[in-house]
Each structure stands twice: as structure tokens, then as C-alpha cells.
Amino acid sequence: MRNLLTDVRGVSVGNAHDTAAATGVTAILFDRPTTASAAVLGGGPGTRDTALLEPEMTVEHIDAIVLSGGSAWGLSAADGAMSWLASQGRGFPVAGHRIPIVPQAILFDLANGGDKSWAAGTRESPYRRLGAEAAATAATEFALGTAGAGFGATTVNLKGGLGSASARAATGQMVGAVVAVNAVGSATIGDGPHFWAAPYEQDGESGGRGWPEKISPDDLALRFKGGTGQNTTIALVATDAVLTKAQAKRLALAAHDGLGRALRPAHAPLDGDIVFAAATGYSGAPSDAFALTELCATAADVLARAVARGIHAATALPFARALPSWRDRFGD
């Protein structure tokens, strides 16, 4: 057990980033065509090829999912991942060609202090290159914190980042999550070190601080970062179970509870919060609706833990007025 998404059999993850631009890409690859769906509960999503994940749509399987910074410019990251997958002979066969199926979601990291001159049209954006690099380096081990799609991510009070976690459900099947936390609000309670996701933490993975002695009205006051469109938390949950697209959709919807437990607020009009769900199919189908519910509940818990781990592992960007990391503020 690595306590990473890659504890789910059939999944690998690659990260790539541009340090000067303070942005990055995470590519989640599946070792064979995989059933997937998605659920968007934020009010301002930025996505690519997510409509085909709806249960009634024709395409049954995908090859990869890409998470990226860059706002709408970041959507070209999937082009790079597709090119690399095509070079490996992956993709949906059509008229003698193979078309890799790579849905994507993006977050807004244009205001974090990095060099975004490509956003003014003065040079090409780095995302196609980063998408290919992330896909080419996909492995079972990958970095958390200021890495991949979480490289330029922020929250209202702390540096955001890439998080991941895993657990074995009561059914015996594995569930994992990866998330780029770029929330409009906070993953921590008030001005202290305690995570909203603390009840779900395992083995001190996000600092082991637990709950504060009390939660005051001031701690519950909403705090907002930035303005319209400057946020979004994007995530994937996966299981080694056999699921239909409709069941994967249910898994994605249920996993959103993890964002609600770990972030205050989540699913806001200014967010594009999305959760993808994938089922690699190595461990058999859930036996009944109760078994599927076990997978759904585990996915929500794992995603909440992944959010806290992403903040806990992050390091601050080296720019003036950059937000501090959790460790800068609270130590180890």
C-alpha cells in the first residue's frame, strides 16, 4: 500500500510542471480501456470530452484522464497526452485509426505570480508539452503537494497542491483518489492547523493534528479567494471493481461528499468542482447495491483525505506575496 491512487490496480500517474510559469499537469493512465464517468457540481467548470462519459453516450471506455492548470489554455494538455498514447498504439479504433479517449478538467492558476506571458499571446502555452511529459512519465509512484496539476494551486489562506490517498473498502475492493486542490475557500479550520478532513485522517498522513478543542463562529465564517473563475478543485476516484458507466457516475457523485467534508465551501458558483470516477475491473463487480454503497462511502472518505494531504505536502511558490504552505505556517 502506497496510500496513493496507484494502489488501484491498472492505474499509473505522471506529473509535469513549468517552474517559471508556476503551473503543471497530471496525467492518469489506465493500462487497458477503462469504464469511467464524471460529475460536475461546481458552477464554473472547464472541461474537455466529459459529455461522452455520461451513461447514455456511446463511448464505453477511456484511456486516460488529464488534470491541468492554466484555465482554458490548459485544455491543450490532453492533446499532448493523446499524442503520447497514440505513439503507444492506444485508442478507440475508427476507420483504420486509433483515437485515444482522454477527458480533461482544468483549474485556474493564472494569478499565482508565475510568468504567464503565453496567456497574452506572446508565445505558445506549455500545456501540450506538459501533457505529453506527464503521460510519458506515468508510474506507480508520484509526487504530492506542489506537483503536477497542483503545482500552481492555491486556497484562500494556504498554498494548494496535489493530494492522493487510498483505502480498501469493506467489500475487499481498492479505492483511491487524486485531487488538485485550488479551492475558493479553505481546507483548514479558521486560522489554525486543523483540517476539516481530520476525522478521516489515517496514520498521521496530514500532520495528525486532529480537531481543535472547539470550533468558534469565527472559524465557521466563510472566506473567499480571488474572483469569478479563479478557483476549482478537480479530482479522480478509481476502484479496481467492475462497474457500469451508470455505477461509475454514482461513484463520482458520492465522492463529491469528500470535497464537502474537506473544503469550506465546496461546489460554489465560482468553482468548477468536478470528480471523475473510473473502474479498472480487476476485482469483480459489487455484489449488490449495499456493496456499491460501500465503494461510494469509501471514495468520499478517501477524497477528503487526499485534499488534506495535498495541502499538507505543498511547498510555497518562490514569488513575492505567494501564499505560505501549511508547513511554513505550522511546522511538521
Side-chain angles (χ1 to χ4, degrees):
M1 291 284 287
R2 291 172 282 266
N3 198 21
L4 296 172
L5 173 70
T6 50
D7 286 325
V8 176
R9 184 181 173 191
V11 182
S12 59
V13 177
N15 289 326
H17 65 267
D18 185 314
T19 302
T23 191
V25 172
T26 296
I28 301 101
L29 273 56
F30 305 102
D31 66 2
R32 62 186 186 184
T34 294
T35 301
S37 191
V40 179
L41 295 187
T47 59
R48 169 173 165 161
D49 281 349
T50 52
L52 60 81
L53 297 175
E54 294 302 319
E56 73 274 17
M57 298 303 178
T58 301
V59 173
E60 290 291 337
H61 302 100
I62 66 169
D63 298 290
I65 285 174
V66 169
L67 309 178
S68 174
S71 190
W73 281 279
L75 290 172
S76 62
D79 291 339
M82 286 180 66
S83 294
W84 187 84
L85 286 162
S87 74
Q88 306 301 303
R90 295 289 303 274
F92 185 74
V94 179
H97 302 281
R98 285 193 171 271
I99 304 173
I101 306 299
V102 186
Q104 181 183 355
I106 50 87
L107 56 81
F108 184 97
D109 59 2
L110 302 183
N112 61 13
D115 175 11
K116 308 297 196 303
S117 56
W118 45 263
T122 58
R123 64 184 177 95
E124 290 296 316
S125 87
Y127 292 103
R128 182 184 177 94
R129 169 178 59 82
L130 293 176
E133 288 179 9
T137 58
T140 55
E141 298 285 348
F142 60 97
L144 301 182
T146 303
F151 193 92
T154 57
T155 69
V156 67
N157 59 340
L158 294 171
K159 176 69 176 70
L162 190 75
S164 190
S166 67
R168 191 173 298 280
T171 61
Q173 291 156 320
M174 188 63 65
V175 178
V178 65
V179 58
V181 187
N182 188 62
V184 68
S186 177
T188 51
I189 301 172
D191 292 319
H194 309 281
F195 287 99
W196 290 110
Y200 309 97
E201 183 179 5
Q202 294 187 8
D203 300 324
E205 64 193 359
S206 52
R209 302 295 182 94
W211 282 105
E213 291 185 8
K214 66 177 182 177
I215 297 176
S216 70
D218 184 62
D219 292 332
L220 295 174
L222 294 178
R223 307 174 186 199
F224 297 111
K225 177 192 77 179
T228 302
Q230 295 189 18
N231 318 283
T232 288
T233 297
I234 50 180
L236 164 77
V237 295
T239 177
D240 58 4
V242 174
L243 298 181
T244 65
K245 282 179 75 178
Q247 289 172 324
K249 177 79 173 188
R250 177 54 49 192
L251 186 69
L253 284 164
H256 268 286
D257 289 351
L259 298 185
R261 294 167 187 169
L263 298 168
R264 183 171 173 84
H267 311 133
L270 304 182
D271 283 345
D273 293 352
I274 180 172
V275 177
F276 295 95
T280 62
Y282 281 99
S283 69
S287 57
D288 54 27
F290 294 102
L292 179 60
T293 302
E294 289 278 3
L295 292 178
C296 289
T298 304
D301 291 351
V302 165
L303 184 50
R305 292 167 48 210
V307 168
R309 287 194 82 199
I311 305 296
H312 180 258
T315 55
L317 295 172
F319 306 123
R321 296 184 297 280
L323 284 169
S325 70
W326 186 93
R327 293 172 193 255
D328 289 337
R329 288 280 311 276
F330 307 115
D332 291 334

